[in-house]
Amino acid sequence: DTEVTQTPKHLVMGMTNKKSLKCEQHMGHRAMYWYKQKAKKPPELMFVYSYEKLSINESVPSRFSPECPNSSLLNLHLHALQPEDSALYLCASSLDTFNEKLFFGSGTQLSVL
Amino acid sequence: LAKTTQPISMDSYEGQEVNITCSHNNIATNDYITWYQQFPSQGPRFIIQGYKTKVTNEVASLFIPADRKSSTLSLPRVSLSDTAVYYCLVAYNAGNNRKLIWGLGTSLAVNP
C-alpha cells in the first residue's frame, strides 16, 4: 500500500466553524507533513511530524492545530479560519525527515466563506 | 540566499523529448534533488531523485552536472497525459537547519 489517504476531498466552512482534516498512511513512514497550496503556486510547508512528535511549525497561525494520534494518522484541526485560508491542503509522508521522496495524498480543497 | 529556479512554462508536441532545467546554486552538500509531477486538484507525485551524474527510471531521466548547481529532468517521447506542472525540490542548509525549497513549478503543455 503506497497511498496517503486524505478526507474529506472538499470542504466548505464558515469563519466560525470548527472542522478537521484527516490523513492516513500505512507505509510505515515516520515523517508526516501538512502543506498548503494556493493556485499556481508550489506547496508551502506548514507542519512536520517526526516519530509522532511535532518537529517543525513554519510559523503557522494558531487557528491551524495539527495532531498526530499515532504513526499512521495525522489530523489538522481548523477553527476560526479566514477567507484567505482557502486553498488545497495536502498531507504527505516519507520514510523519515531526511528523505525528500514524499508521498502525497490527493488533498482537501478548502473554501472558507 | 537559497533559491530554486525553473522556467514558468514550456510547450511541446506528442512524441518529443522534453528537458526541464532547475537551478539551485546553494544546494546542501549531501542532499538529493527530487522532481515531482502534479495534475490539477491532485497532490504532487514523485517522479525521480538523484544526487549526481545521471539517474534513469521507467518514467524519466535526471541529469546532474558535477557542480550540482542545476539539474535537468528529461521526459522522453511525451504524450498528452504528460501535461502537468513539474516541480524540483532541493534541500539547503539554513544555519543549523535543513530547509527544503520547492521551485515555482514548470507548467508543461503537450500538444497533439
Side-chain angles (χ1 to χ4, degrees):
Chain A
D1 183 2
T2 57
E3 270 196 4
V4 174
T5 304
Q6 285 188 247
T7 55
K9 290 197 182 305
H10 302 276
L11 180 62
V12 179
M13 60 187 289
M15 288 190 283
T16 58
N17 291 160
K18 281 186 182 180
K19 296 286 184 184
S20 296
L21 309 184
K22 296 186 183 302
C23 175
E24 191 168 358
Q25 58 89 13
H26 296 288
M27 293 177 279
H29 288 175
R30 304 318 298 263
M32 295 187 77
Y33 310 76
W34 280 115
Y35 279 88
K36 172 183 176 180
Q37 188 176 29
K38 291 279 204 180
K40 300 188 187 301
K41 299 286 188 187
E44 181 184 338
L45 183 65
M46 300 175 72
F47 303 104
V48 181
Y49 273 83
S50 176
Y51 290 84
E52 301 162 52
K53 290 189 177 358
L54 183 65
S55 63
I56 295 176
N57 176 342
E58 291 283 356
S59 303
V60 179
S62 59
R63 57 186 185 268
F64 295 91
S65 175
E67 178 197 18
C68 188
N70 59 53
S71 61
S72 300
L73 295 175
L74 188 66
N75 298 323
L76 186 63
H77 303 297
L78 314 173
H79 174 53
L81 295 194
Q82 303 295 310
E84 59 265 28
D85 295 322
S86 298
L88 181 67
Y89 287 85
L90 294 162
C91 174
S93 70
S94 63
L95 275 174
D96 54 51
T97 54
F98 293 95
N99 194 316
E100 291 94 58
K101 185 174 180 178
L102 303 173
F103 291 76
F104 283 86
S106 295
T108 295
Q109 187 65 56
L110 174 68
S111 295
V112 182
L113 303 179
Chain B
L1 181 65
K3 202 170 178 184
T4 307
T5 306
Q6 51 183 125
I8 293 173
S9 63
M10 294 183 74
D11 273 282
S12 184
Y13 292 92
E14 284 189 289
Q16 287 191 332
E17 179 184 79
V18 170
N19 296 310
I20 306 174
T21 297
C22 180
S23 298
H24 29 77
N25 285 336
N26 297 315
I27 185 174
T29 306
N30 299 319
D31 275 291
Y32 284 79
I33 299 150
T34 312
W35 283 81
Y36 290 84
Q37 175 193 55
Q38 187 175 25
F39 298 112
S41 301
Q42 291 187 28
R45 184 177 72 98
F46 171 87
I47 301 174
I48 198 166
Q49 183 180 66
Y51 180 74
K52 61 180 180 179
T53 63
K54 178 183 174 184
V55 179
T56 297
N57 63 21
E58 64 279 5
V59 175
S61 294
L62 181 59
F63 298 91
I64 305 167
D67 65 8
R68 299 188 355 109
K69 292 185 177 182
S70 67
S71 59
T72 298
L73 173 71
S74 181
L75 304 172
R77 298 179 299 281
V78 294
S79 63
L80 296 177
S81 62
D82 293 316
T83 294
V85 178
Y86 293 82
Y87 292 100
C88 61
L89 177 63
V90 176
Y92 293 90
N93 290 323
N96 292 328
N97 297 318
R98 181 174 160 276
K99 203 166 176 67
L100 294 179
I101 304 288
W102 291 76
L104 295 182
T106 298
S107 181
L108 172 65
V110 179
N111 302 292

